Amino acid sequence: MPGQDKLALYIHWPYCARICPYCDFNVYRARRDDGEALIRAMCADLRHWRDLSGPRRLISIHFGGGTPSLLQARHLAALIDLAVALWTPAADLEIGLEANPNDVSDETLTAWRDVGIERLSLGVQSFGNHALQALGRDHGGAQARAALELAGTRMPRVSLDLIYGWAGQTQEDLDADLHTALASGVGHISTYQLTIEEKTAFGRALKRGRNMAVRTETSADLFEHLIARLGAEGYSQYEVSNFARAQAERSRHNLAYWQGVDYAGIGPGAHGRLWQSGTRFASVAALKPSDYIQAVNETGSGRAEWAPLAREDIADEYVLMGLRIRDGLSLSHYQTLAGHALAEDRIEALVAQGLLVKDGDRLAASPKGRLVLDALTRHLLA
Ligand code: SF4
């Protein structure tokens, strides 16, 4: 497939100091051992992915989790060094690390810079103690501010995560968080709506009648306010939930997902997508760290699933992802993937309603369309 000379690399570190009550990621309480066996398995899995992908231009290495800022610097270095030896690093290779504010210090920042990390995503979530307690986070507002300030002096690029929609949150609360974020001059902000997932502590609380999130309408109002405020401050909503002050601040790793670029997923539960000889494969690694290690030891690969994707599914995923970004998708690329064009009459109707914007070969959701993106995408693909 044209353009599939690139590869993004996601590395999942599944451990956290403690499990937040809203989190439904594949995470486990950090253990005392230093994770040596898991790192060895990840390195072997990287080599396996290289066999699958062949030579590619490596555009990003993203350490996510879990809490990869718990990883020892020598382990980060081992994974980064191996990845850039296996694939050809792009001139603008992005190397990003998700970090808990508690893990940010002079010492860790120095170590992270030394191993090549150049973009830090700080899991701030809020600067308010009340919100952080409600969210069950193990840091306070002062720690969040200190981590952001320190990271800003040492990291070339910093992004912060903000959660909105926790029970009782008002527009003033949101404004207070935005004020602190904006005053820091941070280049990138990722926003997350608090959603209650069934298999979490918040999900169990909801079953008992206690909702830890605001009502859907309130959440939508908060999000619209957030978009307006960040827009007024010069942050471009380049993806539904992501805002950047400048093009260079954007997450090139996440853009790879949204643009349909191949990605390798290393570590327990990590997902991947790979074109091979005209077929696109979806992979999922074994969920539990022990199963992942065992799978790698027995087969050389951590994969639990590896399946070819149907042409229609590949094309649908391209639309689902492509409409999330301001730049939108290429209609001709969709046609190549699906073997047919997107329904012209539906596009025209959605353009007339002000939900889609069509510009030559590009199709994008309008600001109004981005607010109802799920319904819009469903309608377009129906
Ligand atoms: S720190 Fe992040 S990944 Fe870990 S439990 Fe909390 S929300 Fe989930």
Side-chain angles (χ1 to χ4, degrees):
M1 187 57 54
Q4 291 305 334
D5 59 325
K6 297 188 248 178
L7 187 76
L9 172 61
Y10 174 74
I11 299 179
H12 186 81
W13 188 251
Y15 296 113
C16 294
R18 75 174 186 203
I19 306 301
C20 303
Y22 56 88
C23 181
D24 75 334
F25 295 163
N26 184 36
V27 290
Y28 305 86
R29 276 290 288 272
R31 300 169 315 169
R32 279 189 178 278
D33 82 33
D34 60 4
E36 208 75 51
L38 184 52
I39 295 292
R40 267 200 307 277
M42 287 170 150
C43 287
D45 207 12
L46 270 174
R47 291 193 182 88
H48 183 81
W49 268 96
R50 172 60 177 79
D51 291 344
L52 292 171
S53 72
R56 298 277 185 118
R57 192 155 51 88
L58 188 64
I59 60 166
S60 64
I61 303 174
H62 184 87
F63 291 92
T67 308
S69 52
L70 292 174
L71 267 167
Q72 296 179 43
R74 68 189 174 92
H75 288 153
L76 290 169
L79 291 161
I80 293 169
D81 292 350
L82 180 57
V84 299
L86 291 172
W87 291 282
T88 307
D92 60 350
L93 171 69
E94 174 176 292
I95 308 183
L97 176 78
E98 295 174 7
N100 188 319
N102 283 342
D103 298 330
V104 174
S105 67
D106 259 326
E107 197 187 351
T108 53
L109 283 165
T110 301
W112 294 337
R113 288 295 293 130
D114 284 350
V115 302
I117 304 291
E118 52 88 21
R119 186 175 193 274
L120 202 69
S121 301
L122 267 181
V124 161
Q125 317 311 348
S126 173
F127 295 99
N129 286 331
H130 172 66
L132 290 166
Q133 274 162 18
L135 291 167
R137 298 293 307 201
D138 60 357
H139 65 272
Q143 271 167 309
R145 277 188 288 276
L148 181 58
E149 193 178 328
L150 191 57
T153 63
R154 306 287 293 280
M155 275 285 157
R157 296 189 297 157
V158 178
S159 172
L160 69 83
D161 297 346
L162 283 182
I163 289 184
Y164 66 92
W166 40 272
Q169 187 182 24
T170 62
Q171 192 170 300
E172 288 70 37
D173 293 321
L174 178 60
D175 270 331
D177 277 345
L178 291 174
H179 176 78
T180 307
L182 293 167
S184 76
V186 72
H188 188 281
I189 299 175
S190 296
T191 63
Y192 297 87
Q193 178 191 6
L194 179 64
T195 52
I196 307 297
E197 306 298 337
E198 202 182 328
K199 290 181 182 156
T200 63
F202 278 5
R204 291 187 285 280
L206 186 59
K207 273 199 192 127
R208 295 193 301 272
R210 186 156 184 234
N211 191 351
M212 302 304 288
V214 295
R215 290 166 48 231
T216 311
E217 306 78 50
T218 310
S219 190
D221 290 346
L222 288 170
F223 189 48
E224 282 193 55
H225 178 70
L226 188 156
I227 293 169
R229 181 87 196 272
L230 290 178
E233 297 288 340
Y235 286 74
S236 163
Q237 187 189 12
Y238 73 100
E239 191 268 349
V240 175
S241 307
N242 286 277
F243 301 80
R245 245 185 2 186
Q247 179 108 2
E249 301 282 358
R250 297 179 180 190
S251 164
R252 295 196 284 278
H253 180 77
N254 286 337
L255 277 166
Y257 298 143
W258 301 320
Q259 292 171 338
V261 173
D262 276 355
Y263 54 96
I266 302 292
H271 289 237
R273 291 282 186 280
L274 196 72
W275 281 102
Q276 261 189 341
S277 312
T279 302
R280 198 169 204 215
F281 289 86
S283 82
V284 187
L287 273 185
K288 282 191 191 163
S290 55
D291 292 346
Y292 177 82
I293 292 168
Q294 189 181 350
V296 173
N297 288 343
E298 288 175 0
T299 69
S301 159
R303 290 182 322 210
E305 293 171 33
W306 173 256
L309 289 166
R311 198 168 185 180
E312 212 45 46
D313 292 338
I314 299 169
D316 285 1
E317 188 170 83
Y318 178 63
V319 174
L320 271 167
M321 292 288 152
L323 287 184
R324 295 190 65 87
I325 47 178
R326 175 175 288 244
D327 296 343
L329 55 90
S330 154
L331 289 165
S332 56
H333 187 58
Y334 174 86
Q335 187 159 359
T336 305
L337 292 172
H340 59 79
L342 271 170
E344 193 59 45
D345 53 341
R346 278 176 199 265
I347 292 177
E348 274 172 23
L350 291 165
V351 168
Q353 290 170 48
L355 296 169
L356 285 178
V357 179
K358 188 166 176 286
D359 181 10
D361 186 47
R362 306 299 302 180
L363 185 70
S366 67
K368 187 175 153 193
R370 285 200 287 269
L371 294 173
V372 290
L373 196 58
D374 290 348
L376 170 64
T377 311
R378 269 199 308 276
H379 182 68
L380 187 62
L381 293 174

